[in-house]
Amino acid sequence: MSGPADERRAVGERRWLWPSLALPGVLWLVLLFLTPLYAVFAVAMGSPDPIFGGALPAWNPLAWNPGEFRTILGELFTGQLGIVFLRTLVYVAVATFLSLLIGYPVAYYVARHAGRWRVLVLMLIIAPFWINYLMRMLAWVNLLSTDGYVNQALMFVGLLDEPREWLVGKHSTVILGLVYGYVPFLILPLFAALDRIDPRVIEAARDLGASPARAFFAVTLPLSSQGILAGCVIVMLPMFGDYYTATLLSGSPRTNMVGKLIEQDILSGAGSGRGAALTVVLMVFVGILMTYYLYSVARASREART
Amino acid sequence: MVFHPRERSPWRRPMSRREVLGLMAGTAVAGGLLAGCGSGASSASKLAIGTRENPVEQPLFDDNPAVKSGLEPEDGPLRVYNWADYINPAVLKGFTKEFGNEVEVTTFYNSQEALQKLRTGKISFDIFFPTQDDLPKYVAGKLLQPLNHDYLPNLKKNIWPTLVNPFYDRHSRYTTPYVTYSTGIGWRTDMVSTDVASLENPWEVFWDPEYKGITGLYDEYRDALSVGMYRSGLKSVNDATPDDLAKARDNLLELPDLMEIRYTIDGAYSRLPEGNLGLVQAWSGDTLLALQYVPEGGDPSVLRYAWPPKATRDKAGGAISNDCMAVLANAERPVLAHAFINYFLETEIGLENMSWLGYQPPQKSLDPISMVDKGLVPETLTSAVVAQEDFEMGQITTQLTTEEDSRWIETWSRVQQGG
């Protein structure tokens, strides 16, 4: 008679056990993600401190003042701000695509052909992280100056007849900076995905008569799609918030990204509400894009498998 | 990036500039945003904002007295809260040698960050470096303690009378001057053939397409928008109307395509001497600091500085400002802090500091001519030295009301959106 009751208890315990394993993660999210996020929202819905100039956040939803959101949305749909969002999107898309173009062969080489050099090559890919991102960007400022090494090298090999003015607000320079800065983040997840592919699967494709190219496109590429997806998301998210690459490599309003506008609002006292509202709008914008992107890629990879 | 003048300019060593930027990337934005979180509603009443026409005495409070006279300096270490790279380390060592007390420097990168941290009341430093326009906030928040002038004989002895009794802090109740600087135009004669200083309205040179690709303005809203106003002949930047701001905005919006303008933080002290830019908006202190950034084999005599617009009888001239030293209300070593300030008001110490920082102390014995004679400043940059008369004629950036400030920031955001 007691058998079924014990079983029920055991099932009940297990029901309680598994979700509880997620508890630390949930606490972490609440403490370190949702709370600050609500703080940003409260600052956006608040008002500037009339005496000290900083933000007076509106913690109580009844005290919310959507004025800053109205301003930002107005600028977004009728003003120039929409162009800045579009520019940010194009920069990020092009830079991610180029990163993939550069990163995939590297990851492929390391995973499948690097042999005993593998650890060394991986170390070299990570090595730039030992130097601060901004320091590396400042190095680019010197390299790209009119009489810098980049112009000298390009003129030496005959690609340029006269020095190119890289630093006067060129879109290409900013995209180059983004690609340079973020490409290692893409290589690592790609490497992990390619490394996991069983070489026998590819061998099987070759044995069954597929050409190397066919084997790559029919087997390797679809099997690495999760790595491509992860890598792209990992580089796209920080690129959307990037506020210093364009500032250092260009400094022209022609190439400003949304992150720069947020930064300058937030650092100037009475603008923190504006900056916080812009942050929330950017998050929603990126959130929609990412949802769509993840959904469509997931569907594509499902179709590729079937 | 947005900075106060002091938070960015004197990055003397390249490494240090990078450290600063690196730290900023991580902390400044988060700090600036979250800074708002801790503060409840302001309890302080009205701010005492002085102007040249209406000088103010900063209020005293019964519960915030000055330290008593005749006490011996406490034992160290002395704790200094300062802008990053805004003090010559050699001078601090000199203080330690003379007083036998270690000095610990903690730095901040943004005045908003400093204000919010000090307002928590949880951190305690002895010395702080406010800017004159921020002073009313610090006094209203009772973050500073009144100074006891008995400990500061060098103030009256060495400092310009106009800054011993400044309009923003009559009788120097809370502050003494630290360094002073003007905001003008820096250029290189080998890249810019126009004699900028002799133009009718020198600021118009930023719209001269001949200098396309080599011009830069500060990436700071008050400074950059002022240039937009100067171009239209508007001179008093502290009381800009919405119309004035619109004019400034429209003027600045021409610059990206017309001039390929660049908004930078290091234009004057680094990109100008290195020859990446030829014509920049410049603080006088940055222009003198630029001398240390001239590359090997470069010619420092091509650097020039002008400080328009000229003052007329009824209108103040170009922008000028002054940064201060103060003792914090919760200082644990107030007497030692006074000794430190007094030490910095020595002429020799101020000069030693300037030799590293580029920014000059407002010392009586230093005027443009004597500084050139002593070889401290090249003759070609005499105009980058601020004289007491300049300080009396110049226009001083004062704190805006929150409403005005929001309007400036919105305008600035529009300028940075381009198009």
Side-chain angles (χ1 to χ4, degrees), chain B residues 253-313:
Chain B
L253 280 174
E254 290 176 22
L255 291 176
D257 288 336
L258 181 71
M259 300 299 288
E260 292 185 330
I261 195 80
R262 274 174 272 172
Y263 291 98
T264 66
I265 47 174
D266 56 356
Y269 75 86
S270 155
R271 296 195 193 208
L272 186 72
E274 283 162 8
N276 292 328
L277 292 176
L279 173 70
V280 295
Q281 182 178 27
W283 296 308
S284 58
D286 272 13
T287 313
L288 295 177
L289 185 63
L291 293 166
Q292 300 171 18
Y293 277 80
V294 176
E296 219 165 298
D299 178 9
S301 71
V302 299
L303 298 173
R304 291 289 183 284
Y305 179 80
W307 180 50
K310 276 212 169 57
T312 54
R313 205 176 318 147

Coordinates of all heavy atoms in Angstrom, one line a residue, chain B residues 253-313:
Chain B
L253 N 26.5 71.8 -38.0 CA 26.1 70.7 -38.9 C 26.7 70.8 -40.3 O 26.8 69.9 -41.0 CB 24.6 70.6 -38.9 CG 23.9 69.9 -37.8 CD1 22.4 70.0 -37.8 CD2 24.3 68.4 -37.7
E254 N 27.2 72.1 -40.6 CA 27.9 72.2 -41.9 C 29.2 71.6 -41.9 O 29.8 71.3 -42.9 CB 28.1 73.7 -42.2 CG 26.8 74.5 -42.4 CD 27.1 76.0 -42.6 OE1 28.3 76.4 -42.9 OE2 26.2 76.8 -42.4
L255 N 29.8 71.4 -40.7 CA 31.2 71.1 -40.6 C 31.6 69.7 -41.1 O 32.7 69.5 -41.7 CB 31.8 71.3 -39.2 CG 31.8 72.8 -38.8 CD1 32.3 72.9 -37.3 CD2 32.7 73.6 -39.7
P256 N 30.8 68.6 -40.8 CA 31.3 67.3 -41.3 C 31.6 67.2 -42.8 O 32.7 66.7 -43.1 CB 30.2 66.4 -40.9 CG 29.5 67.1 -39.8 CD 29.6 68.5 -40.1
D257 N 30.8 67.8 -43.6 CA 31.0 67.7 -45.0 C 31.9 68.8 -45.5 O 32.9 68.6 -46.3 CB 29.7 67.7 -45.8 CG 29.0 66.4 -45.7 OD1 29.6 65.4 -45.4 OD2 27.7 66.4 -45.8
L258 N 31.7 70.0 -45.0 CA 32.5 71.2 -45.5 C 34.0 71.0 -45.1 O 34.9 71.3 -45.8 CB 31.9 72.5 -44.9 CG 32.6 73.8 -45.3 CD1 32.4 74.1 -46.8 CD2 32.2 74.9 -44.4
M259 N 34.2 70.6 -43.8 CA 35.6 70.6 -43.3 C 36.1 69.2 -42.9 O 37.2 69.1 -42.5 CB 35.6 71.5 -42.0 CG 35.2 72.9 -42.2 SD 36.3 73.7 -43.4 CE 37.8 73.9 -42.4
E260 N 35.3 68.2 -43.0 CA 35.6 66.9 -42.4 C 36.1 67.0 -41.0 O 37.2 66.5 -40.6 CB 36.7 66.2 -43.3 CG 36.1 65.8 -44.7 CD 37.1 65.0 -45.5 OE1 38.3 65.2 -45.4 OE2 36.6 64.2 -46.4
I261 N 35.3 67.8 -40.3 CA 35.7 68.1 -38.9 C 35.8 66.8 -38.0 O 35.1 65.8 -38.3 CB 34.6 69.0 -38.2 CG1 35.1 69.7 -37.0 CG2 33.3 68.2 -37.9 CD1 35.9 70.9 -37.2
R262 N 36.7 66.9 -37.1 CA 36.8 65.8 -36.1 C 36.7 66.3 -34.7 O 37.3 67.3 -34.3 CB 38.2 65.1 -36.3 CG 38.1 64.0 -37.4 CD 39.5 63.5 -37.7 NE 40.2 64.3 -38.7 CZ 41.4 64.0 -39.0 NH1 42.1 63.1 -38.3 NH2 42.0 64.8 -39.9
Y263 N 35.8 65.6 -33.9 CA 35.7 65.9 -32.5 C 36.6 65.0 -31.7 O 36.4 63.8 -31.7 CB 34.2 65.8 -32.1 CG 33.3 66.8 -32.8 CD1 32.6 66.5 -33.9 CD2 33.2 68.1 -32.2 CE1 31.8 67.5 -34.5 CE2 32.4 69.0 -32.8 CZ 31.7 68.7 -34.0 OH 30.9 69.7 -34.6
T264 N 37.5 65.6 -31.1 CA 38.5 64.7 -30.4 C 38.7 65.2 -28.9 O 38.3 66.3 -28.6 CB 39.9 64.7 -31.1 OG1 40.4 66.1 -30.9 CG2 39.8 64.4 -32.5
I265 N 39.4 64.4 -28.2 CA 39.8 64.8 -26.8 C 41.3 65.2 -26.8 O 41.7 65.9 -26.0 CB 39.6 63.7 -25.8 CG1 40.1 62.4 -26.4 CG2 38.1 63.5 -25.5 CD1 40.1 61.2 -25.4
D266 N 42.0 64.7 -27.7 CA 43.5 64.9 -27.7 C 43.9 65.7 -28.9 O 45.1 65.8 -29.1 CB 44.2 63.5 -27.7 CG 43.7 62.7 -28.9 OD1 42.9 63.1 -29.7 OD2 44.3 61.6 -29.1
G267 N 43.0 66.4 -29.5 CA 43.4 67.2 -30.7 C 44.5 68.2 -30.4 O 45.5 68.3 -31.1
A268 N 44.3 69.0 -29.3 CA 45.2 70.1 -29.1 C 46.6 69.7 -28.6 O 47.6 70.2 -29.0 CB 44.6 71.1 -28.1
Y269 N 46.6 68.8 -27.6 CA 47.9 68.5 -27.1 C 48.7 67.4 -27.8 O 49.9 67.2 -27.6 CB 47.8 68.2 -25.6 CG 47.2 66.8 -25.2 CD1 48.1 65.7 -25.1 CD2 45.9 66.7 -25.0 CE1 47.6 64.5 -24.8 CE2 45.4 65.4 -24.7 CZ 46.2 64.3 -24.6 OH 45.7 63.1 -24.3
S270 N 47.9 66.6 -28.6 CA 48.6 65.4 -29.2 C 48.5 65.5 -30.7 O 49.5 65.4 -31.4 CB 48.0 64.1 -28.6 OG 48.2 63.1 -29.5
R271 N 47.3 65.6 -31.3 CA 47.2 65.5 -32.7 C 47.8 66.8 -33.4 O 48.3 66.7 -34.5 CB 45.8 65.3 -33.2 CG 45.2 64.0 -32.6 CD 43.9 63.6 -33.3 NE 43.3 62.5 -32.6 CZ 42.5 61.6 -33.2 NH1 42.2 61.7 -34.5 NH2 42.0 60.6 -32.5
L272 N 47.7 67.9 -32.8 CA 48.3 69.1 -33.4 C 49.8 69.0 -33.4 O 50.4 69.2 -34.5 CB 47.8 70.3 -32.6 CG 48.2 71.7 -33.2 CD1 47.4 72.0 -34.4 CD2 48.0 72.8 -32.2
P273 N 50.5 68.8 -32.3 CA 52.0 68.7 -32.4 C 52.4 67.6 -33.3 O 53.5 67.7 -33.9 CB 52.4 68.5 -31.0 CG 51.2 68.0 -30.2 CD 50.1 68.7 -30.9
E274 N 51.6 66.5 -33.4 CA 52.1 65.4 -34.2 C 51.8 65.6 -35.7 O 52.2 64.9 -36.6 CB 51.4 64.1 -33.8 CG 52.0 63.5 -32.5 CD 51.1 62.5 -31.8 OE1 50.0 62.2 -32.4 OE2 51.4 62.1 -30.7
G275 N 51.0 66.7 -36.0 CA 50.8 67.1 -37.4 C 49.6 66.4 -38.0 O 49.3 66.5 -39.2
N276 N 48.8 65.6 -37.2 CA 47.6 65.0 -37.7 C 46.5 66.0 -38.0 O 45.7 65.8 -38.8 CB 47.1 63.9 -36.8 CG 48.0 62.7 -36.8 OD1 48.7 62.4 -37.7 ND2 48.1 62.1 -35.6
L277 N 46.5 67.0 -37.1 CA 45.6 68.1 -37.3 C 46.4 69.4 -37.4 O 47.5 69.5 -36.8 CB 44.6 68.2 -36.1 CG 43.6 67.0 -36.0 CD1 42.7 67.2 -34.8 CD2 42.7 67.0 -37.2
G278 N 45.8 70.4 -38.1 CA 46.6 71.7 -38.2 C 45.9 72.8 -37.5 O 46.5 73.9 -37.4
L279 N 44.6 72.7 -37.2 CA 43.8 73.8 -36.7 C 42.8 73.2 -35.7 O 41.9 72.4 -36.1 CB 43.1 74.4 -37.9 CG 42.1 75.5 -37.6 CD1 42.8 76.8 -37.1 CD2 41.3 75.9 -38.8
V280 N 42.9 73.6 -34.5 CA 42.0 73.0 -33.5 C 41.5 74.0 -32.4 O 42.2 75.0 -32.2 CB 42.7 71.8 -32.7 CG1 43.1 70.7 -33.6 CG2 43.9 72.3 -32.0
Q281 N 40.4 73.7 -31.9 CA 40.0 74.4 -30.7 C 40.9 73.9 -29.5 O 41.2 72.7 -29.4 CB 38.5 74.0 -30.3 CG 38.0 74.7 -29.1 CD 36.5 74.4 -28.8 OE1 36.1 73.3 -29.2 NE2 35.8 75.3 -28.2
A282 N 41.4 74.8 -28.7 CA 42.4 74.4 -27.8 C 42.3 75.1 -26.4 O 42.1 76.3 -26.4 CB 43.8 74.6 -28.4
W283 N 42.5 74.4 -25.4 CA 42.7 75.0 -24.1 C 44.2 75.5 -24.0 O 45.1 74.8 -24.5 CB 42.4 74.1 -22.9 CG 41.0 73.6 -22.9 CD1 39.9 74.4 -22.9 CD2 40.5 72.3 -22.9 NE1 38.8 73.7 -22.8 CE2 39.1 72.4 -22.8 CE3 41.1 71.0 -22.8 CZ2 38.3 71.2 -22.8 CZ3 40.3 69.9 -22.8 CH2 38.9 70.0 -22.8
S284 N 44.4 76.6 -23.4 CA 45.8 77.2 -23.4 C 46.7 76.2 -22.8 O 47.8 76.0 -23.2 CB 45.8 78.5 -22.6 OG 45.3 78.3 -21.3
G285 N 46.2 75.5 -21.7 CA 47.1 74.5 -21.0 C 47.5 73.3 -22.0 O 48.6 72.8 -21.9
D286 N 46.5 72.9 -22.8 CA 46.8 71.8 -23.7 C 47.8 72.3 -24.8 O 48.7 71.5 -25.2 CB 45.5 71.4 -24.5 CG 44.7 70.3 -23.8 OD1 45.1 70.1 -22.6 OD2 43.8 69.7 -24.4
T287 N 47.7 73.6 -25.1 CA 48.7 74.1 -26.1 C 50.1 74.1 -25.6 O 51.0 73.8 -26.3 CB 48.3 75.5 -26.5 OG1 46.8 75.6 -26.8 CG2 49.0 76.0 -27.8
L288 N 50.2 74.4 -24.3 CA 51.6 74.4 -23.7 C 52.0 73.0 -23.5 O 53.2 72.6 -23.7 CB 51.6 75.2 -22.4 CG 51.3 76.7 -22.6 CD1 51.3 77.4 -21.3 CD2 52.4 77.3 -23.5
L289 N 51.1 72.1 -23.2 CA 51.4 70.7 -23.0 C 51.9 70.1 -24.4 O 52.7 69.2 -24.4 CB 50.2 69.9 -22.5 CG 50.4 68.4 -22.1 CD1 51.4 68.3 -21.0 CD2 49.1 67.8 -21.8
A290 N 51.3 70.6 -25.4 CA 51.6 70.1 -26.8 C 53.1 70.2 -27.1 O 53.7 69.4 -27.8 CB 50.9 70.9 -27.9
L291 N 53.8 71.2 -26.4 CA 55.2 71.3 -26.7 C 56.0 70.0 -26.3 O 57.0 69.7 -26.9 CB 55.8 72.5 -25.8 CG 55.3 73.8 -26.2 CD1 55.6 74.9 -25.2 CD2 56.0 74.2 -27.6
Q292 N 55.4 69.3 -25.3 CA 56.1 68.0 -24.9 C 55.7 66.9 -25.8 O 56.3 65.8 -25.7 CB 55.6 67.7 -23.5 CG 56.0 68.8 -22.5 CD 55.3 68.5 -21.1 OE1 54.9 67.4 -20.8 NE2 55.3 69.6 -20.3
Y293 N 54.8 67.1 -26.7 CA 54.4 66.0 -27.6 C 54.9 66.2 -29.0 O 54.5 65.5 -29.9 CB 52.8 66.0 -27.7 CG 52.2 65.2 -26.6 CD1 52.0 65.7 -25.3 CD2 51.8 63.9 -26.7 CE1 51.5 65.0 -24.3 CE2 51.3 63.1 -25.7 CZ 51.1 63.7 -24.5 OH 50.6 63.0 -23.4
V294 N 55.7 67.3 -29.3 CA 56.3 67.4 -30.6 C 57.2 66.3 -30.8 O 58.1 66.0 -30.0 CB 57.1 68.8 -30.7 CG1 57.7 68.9 -32.0 CG2 56.1 69.9 -30.4
P295 N 57.0 65.5 -32.0 CA 57.8 64.4 -32.2 C 59.3 64.8 -32.4 O 59.6 65.9 -32.7 CB 57.2 63.8 -33.5 CG 56.1 64.6 -33.9 CD 56.0 65.8 -33.0
E296 N 60.2 63.8 -32.3 CA 61.6 64.1 -32.5 C 61.8 64.6 -33.9 O 61.3 64.1 -34.8 CB 62.4 62.8 -32.3 CG 63.7 63.0 -31.6 CD 64.2 61.7 -31.1 OE1 63.6 61.0 -30.3 OE2 65.3 61.3 -31.6
G297 N 62.6 65.7 -34.0 CA 62.8 66.3 -35.3 C 61.7 67.3 -35.7 O 61.9 67.9 -36.7
G298 N 60.7 67.3 -34.9 CA 59.6 68.3 -35.2 C 60.0 69.7 -34.8 O 60.9 69.9 -34.0
D299 N 59.2 70.7 -35.3 CA 59.6 72.1 -35.0 C 58.5 72.7 -34.1 O 57.4 73.0 -34.6 CB 59.7 72.8 -36.3 CG 60.0 74.3 -36.1 OD1 60.3 74.7 -34.9 OD2 59.9 75.0 -37.0
P300 N 58.8 72.9 -32.8 CA 57.7 73.4 -31.9 C 57.4 74.9 -32.3 O 56.3 75.4 -31.8 CB 58.3 73.3 -30.5 CG 59.8 73.2 -30.7 CD 60.0 72.6 -32.1
S301 N 58.2 75.6 -33.0 CA 57.9 77.0 -33.3 C 56.8 77.2 -34.3 O 56.4 78.3 -34.5 CB 59.2 77.7 -33.8 OG 59.5 77.3 -35.1
V302 N 56.3 76.1 -34.9 CA 55.1 76.3 -35.8 C 53.8 76.5 -35.0 O 52.8 76.8 -35.6 CB 55.0 75.2 -36.8 CG1 56.2 75.1 -37.7 CG2 54.7 73.9 -36.1
L303 N 53.8 76.2 -33.7 CA 52.6 76.2 -33.0 C 52.2 77.6 -32.6 O 53.0 78.4 -32.2 CB 52.7 75.3 -31.7 CG 53.0 73.8 -31.9 CD1 53.3 73.2 -30.6 CD2 51.8 73.2 -32.6
R304 N 50.9 77.9 -32.8 CA 50.4 79.2 -32.4 C 49.1 79.1 -31.6 O 48.4 78.0 -31.7 CB 50.0 80.0 -33.7 CG 51.2 80.4 -34.5 CD 52.0 81.5 -33.8 NE 53.1 82.0 -34.6 CZ 54.2 81.3 -34.8 NH1 54.4 80.1 -34.2 NH2 55.2 81.7 -35.6
Y305 N 48.7 80.1 -30.9 CA 47.5 80.1 -30.1 C 46.9 81.5 -30.1 O 47.6 82.5 -30.0 CB 47.8 79.7 -28.6 CG 46.6 79.6 -27.7 CD1 45.7 78.5 -27.7 CD2 46.3 80.7 -26.9 CE1 44.6 78.5 -26.9 CE2 45.2 80.7 -26.0 CZ 44.4 79.6 -26.0 OH 43.3 79.5 -25.2
A306 N 45.6 81.5 -30.3 CA 44.8 82.8 -30.1 C 43.6 82.6 -29.3 O 43.1 81.4 -29.2 CB 44.4 83.3 -31.5
W307 N 43.1 83.6 -28.7 CA 42.1 83.5 -27.7 C 40.9 84.5 -28.0 O 40.7 85.4 -27.3 CB 42.6 83.8 -26.3 CG 41.6 83.7 -25.2 CD1 40.7 82.7 -25.0 CD2 41.4 84.6 -24.2 NE1 40.0 83.0 -23.9 CE2 40.4 84.2 -23.4 CE3 42.0 85.9 -23.9 CZ2 39.9 84.9 -22.3 CZ3 41.6 86.6 -22.8 CH2 40.5 86.1 -22.0
P308 N 40.2 84.3 -29.2 CA 39.1 85.2 -29.5 C 37.8 84.7 -28.8 O 37.8 83.6 -28.3 CB 39.0 85.0 -31.0 CG 39.5 83.6 -31.3 CD 40.5 83.3 -30.2
P309 N 36.7 85.5 -28.9 CA 36.7 86.8 -29.4 C 37.3 87.8 -28.4 O 37.4 87.5 -27.2 CB 35.2 87.1 -29.5 CG 34.6 86.2 -28.5 CD 35.4 85.0 -28.4
K310 N 37.7 88.9 -28.9 CA 38.3 90.0 -28.0 C 37.2 90.6 -27.2 O 36.1 90.8 -27.6 CB 38.9 91.1 -28.9 CG 40.3 90.8 -29.4 CD 41.1 92.1 -29.5 CE 42.6 91.8 -29.7 NZ 42.8 91.0 -30.9
A311 N 37.6 90.9 -25.9 CA 36.7 91.6 -25.1 C 36.5 93.0 -25.5 O 37.4 93.7 -26.0 CB 37.2 91.5 -23.6
T312 N 35.3 93.5 -25.4 CA 35.0 94.9 -25.7 C 34.6 95.5 -24.4 O 34.4 94.8 -23.4 CB 33.9 95.1 -26.8 OG1 32.8 94.4 -26.3 CG2 34.4 94.6 -28.1
R313 N 34.3 96.8 -24.4 CA 34.0 97.5 -23.1 C 32.7 96.9 -22.5 O 32.7 96.7 -21.3 CB 33.8 99.0 -23.3 CG 34.1 99.7 -22.0 CD 34.0 101.2 -22.2 NE 34.6 101.7 -23.4 CZ 34.2 102.7 -24.1 NH1 33.1 103.4 -23.7 NH2 34.8 103.1 -25.2

